[in-house]
């Protein structure tokens, strides 16, 4: 298990490589993963996100760490991304196994894991450097990645599922499709930052965590600009991924 606070975590995520490797190795042991808890957590992230994040207190008291030591949540997310990649590939006439696997690997590694690791590192550094009360505890990098995974779920539901179901409408020309598409992206990214705020604000040794919702103001500005230049986010993303 990861300690609640350690020299490795204080030095940086790269110094905590061994706990990260141990965490990743547990993905191959399905019998010891709690999928029931992962599904319960996902349901609460959609209906009562504060309740979901308050389970971090349970981890701190029983596991002596804030981060989850069970990768079941990530495994379920990856499975959901595979389903979405299959559906999107079929919708755009790229239903061959190689196309599906290629799209899944890109979305899983780049959009979810690599970008998530970058955002987690920024949140980890920001919280430990500027938001910390200088007590003995520190934000673990794996906890920052847990926050990303939790916040990614509503984004997945809005952009991978709901957007897919609305494709015939969102890809039409006209102001209605433009408004719906860009509002959907604005809601998805705003929800991501709001859940990120909830995740960090649950840690009692952090203060002024509202900085994590400040990017929502930039999202609103980007949304207005996209409407002014007639940029349909759905059409743009479809072109990037499917040419």
């Amino acid at each position: 298990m990861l300690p609640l606070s350690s020299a490795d975590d204080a030095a940086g995520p790269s110094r905590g490589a061994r706990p990260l490797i141990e965490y990743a190795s547990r993905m191959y042991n399905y019998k010891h993963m709690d999928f029931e808890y992962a599904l319960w957590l996902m349901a609460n992230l959609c209906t009562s996100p504060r309740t979901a994040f308050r389970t971090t207190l349970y981890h701190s008291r029983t596991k002596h760490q804030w981060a989850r030591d069970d990768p079941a949540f990530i495994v379920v997310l990856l499975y959901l991304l595979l389903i979405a990649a299959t559906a999107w590939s079929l919708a755009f006439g790229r239903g061959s196994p190689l196309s599906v696997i290629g799209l899944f690997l890109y979305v899983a590694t780049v959009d979810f894991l690599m970008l998530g690791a970058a955002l987690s590192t920024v949140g980890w550094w920001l919280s430990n450097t500027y938001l910390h009360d200088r007590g003995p505890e520190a934000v673990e990098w794996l906890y920052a990645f847990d926050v990303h995974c939790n916040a990614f779920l509503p984004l997945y539901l809005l952009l991978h599922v709901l957007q897919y179901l609305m494709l015939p409408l969102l890809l039409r020309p006209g102001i209605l499709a433009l408004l719906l598409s860009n509002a959907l992206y604005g809601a998805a990214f705003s929800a991501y930052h709001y859940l990120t705020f909830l995740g960090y604000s649950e840690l009692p040794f952090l203060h002024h965590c509202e900085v994590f919702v400040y990017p929502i103001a930039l999202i609103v500005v980007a949304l207005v600009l996209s409407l002014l230049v007639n940029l349909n986010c759905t059409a743009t993303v479809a072109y990037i991924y499917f040419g």
Side-chain angles (χ1 to χ4, degrees):
M1 292 188 298
L2 289 173
L4 199 61
S5 174
S6 69
D8 284 347
D9 273 336
S14 61
R15 295 289 300 275
R18 190 173 71 176
L20 185 60
I21 293 173
E22 293 175 354
Y23 179 84
S25 67
R26 295 190 182 113
M27 292 185 182
Y28 298 98
N29 197 341
Y30 287 88
K31 293 182 179 179
H32 290 82
M33 283 191 279
D34 191 350
F35 290 105
E36 183 177 353
Y37 169 73
L39 294 174
W40 174 89
L41 184 60
M42 287 182 170
N44 276 273
L45 285 169
C46 297
T47 59
S48 180
R50 287 189 178 275
T51 300
F53 277 109
R54 281 171 187 156
T55 59
T56 58
L57 184 61
Y58 164 82
H59 290 288
S60 70
R61 290 177 175 175
T62 61
K63 306 286 186 176
H64 303 293
Q65 64 182 50
W66 293 99
R68 293 189 291 261
D69 61 351
D70 183 358
F73 191 95
I74 294 179
V75 172
V76 174
L77 270 182
L78 291 175
Y79 178 73
L80 293 176
L81 286 173
L82 176 59
I83 294 175
T86 303
W88 279 78
S89 296
L90 291 173
F92 285 92
R94 305 288 182 86
S96 68
L98 286 179
S99 296
V100 172
I101 293 174
L103 178 62
F104 165 70
L105 290 177
Y106 182 86
V107 172
T109 57
V110 178
D111 294 351
F112 174 55
L113 293 176
M114 293 179 64
L115 184 57
L119 292 172
S120 301
T121 301
V122 171
W124 167 88
W125 173 81
L126 181 64
S127 57
N128 279 325
T129 305
Y130 295 104
L131 309 180
H132 202 278
D133 64 2
R134 304 305 172 192
E137 298 180 84
V139 179
E140 306 149 357
W141 187 87
L142 273 178
Y143 178 79
F145 191 72
D146 280 348
V147 171
H148 158 70
C149 293
N150 292 349
F152 185 84
L153 180 65
L155 188 145
Y156 167 85
L157 294 175
L158 290 172
L159 298 186
H160 291 257
V161 179
L162 182 59
Q163 183 179 211
Y164 170 79
L165 297 175
M166 297 176 64
L167 277 178
L169 175 60
L170 299 178
L171 292 177
R172 289 180 180 178
I175 187 65
L176 178 60
L178 179 66
L179 287 172
L180 288 176
S181 172
N182 295 9
L184 188 63
Y185 274 83
F189 290 119
S190 296
Y192 178 90
H193 287 287
Y194 175 67
L195 264 69
T196 299
F197 156 72
L198 290 182
Y200 285 100
S201 64
E202 282 299 317
L203 301 183
F205 50 87
L206 296 184
H207 305 284
H208 305 297
C209 293
E210 61 272 9
V211 298
F212 289 104
V213 299
Y214 289 170
I216 295 179
L218 298 178
I219 293 172
V220 173
V221 173
L223 178 61
V224 173
L225 292 176
S226 67
L227 295 176
L228 292 176
V229 300
N230 198 35
L231 177 67
N232 185 309
C233 292
T234 301
T236 303
V237 169
Y239 177 79
I240 292 173
Y241 282 89
F242 302 101

